[in-house]
Amino acid sequence: MNISFFVPGIPAPGGSKNVFPRKGGGGYVVVDAGKGNAQWKRSVATVAKKYMAENKRKPFEKGKALYLYLDFYVKRPQSHFTSKGVLKKNAPSYPTSKPDECKLRRSTEDALTGICWYDDAQVVRCISEKNYCLFRTETSTYTNPGVSVLIVEM
C-alpha cells in the first residue's frame, strides 16, 4: 500500500554539519548547519504522523525495499516577474540555484525515519525533483512551496 501526502512549507536542506567543542571540555557537539532545517523536519514529521494516524498506517517493516518519489516546490524569486506580477518570458523553467536537490531530499528522508519507515536505508530507489511553484503537470497544479511525497513498497 502506498503512502502519499503533501507537506506545505519552505523546503530546507540537510546534511551539512557544524562541530563545536563542548563547554567545559569532554568532546564535541555536532549540529545541523542547514538554515531552516529543524523547522522543515518538524513540518515533514508532523504531516507524516498525521497521515499515518488518519490512515491507520504503521511504518513499512524493517527490511522492506522502498521506492521514494519527492517533488519539491520552491518559490520563484521576485526578479522572475514584471512589475505587474507577470512571469517574464526569459525566466528560467527550473530552479538551478541552492538549495541542492540532494540536500532537500536528505533532510526530508531523515524526517520520515521512524514514521513512514524504520530506516532511510530502506529506500533503494528514489526520484526527486525540484520545481518552482505554479508548476503545472497534466493532472495537477502546484501553487504552494513544499514537497509532494510518495512511498511505494517494491
Side-chain angles (χ1 to χ4, degrees):
M1 190 137 122
N2 298 345
I3 293 174
S4 179
F5 53 87
F6 182 80
V7 181
I10 306 298
S16 300
K17 309 285 185 215
N18 286 331
V19 180
F20 302 99
R22 190 178 302 275
K23 288 183 180 178
Y28 297 91
V29 176
V30 179
V31 295
D32 215 323
K35 185 179 178 184
N37 181 270
Q39 177 58 44
W40 174 246
K41 286 168 109 173
R42 273 193 303 275
S43 295
V44 171
T46 298
V47 172
K49 286 176 184 175
K50 182 179 178 190
Y51 173 89
M52 298 297 275
E54 287 176 353
N55 292 278
K56 297 178 174 70
R57 294 292 311 269
K58 291 184 180 180
F60 285 103
E61 295 175 19
K62 290 180 183 179
K64 295 287 184 186
L66 303 174
Y67 165 82
L68 175 63
Y69 180 79
L70 299 171
D71 206 351
F72 292 98
Y73 297 96
V74 297
K75 287 185 176 181
R76 282 186 176 274
Q78 192 60 41
S79 62
H80 288 194
F81 298 94
T82 67
S83 59
K84 294 184 180 184
V86 176
L87 187 63
K88 293 178 179 176
K89 291 184 189 298
N90 65 346
S93 298
Y94 295 96
T96 58
S97 59
K98 293 187 181 232
D100 298 355
E101 169 276 325
C102 63
K103 290 190 177 182
L104 295 176
R105 181 176 68 227
R106 187 177 301 155
S107 63
T108 304
E109 284 181 355
D110 288 347
L112 296 172
T113 298
I115 301 168
C116 296
W117 51 60
Y118 284 94
D119 190 322
D120 56 8
Q122 290 175 257
V123 177
V124 299
R125 183 172 298 149
C126 179
I127 294 178
S128 180
E129 297 183 23
K130 183 174 70 165
N131 293 294
Y132 284 122
C133 297
L134 300 175
F135 180 83
R136 290 175 178 82
T137 66
E138 290 181 17
T139 57
S140 302
T141 299
Y142 296 93
T143 57
N144 296 314
V147 66
S148 177
V149 176
L150 173 63
I151 307 166
V152 179
E153 184 176 338
M154 302 277 295

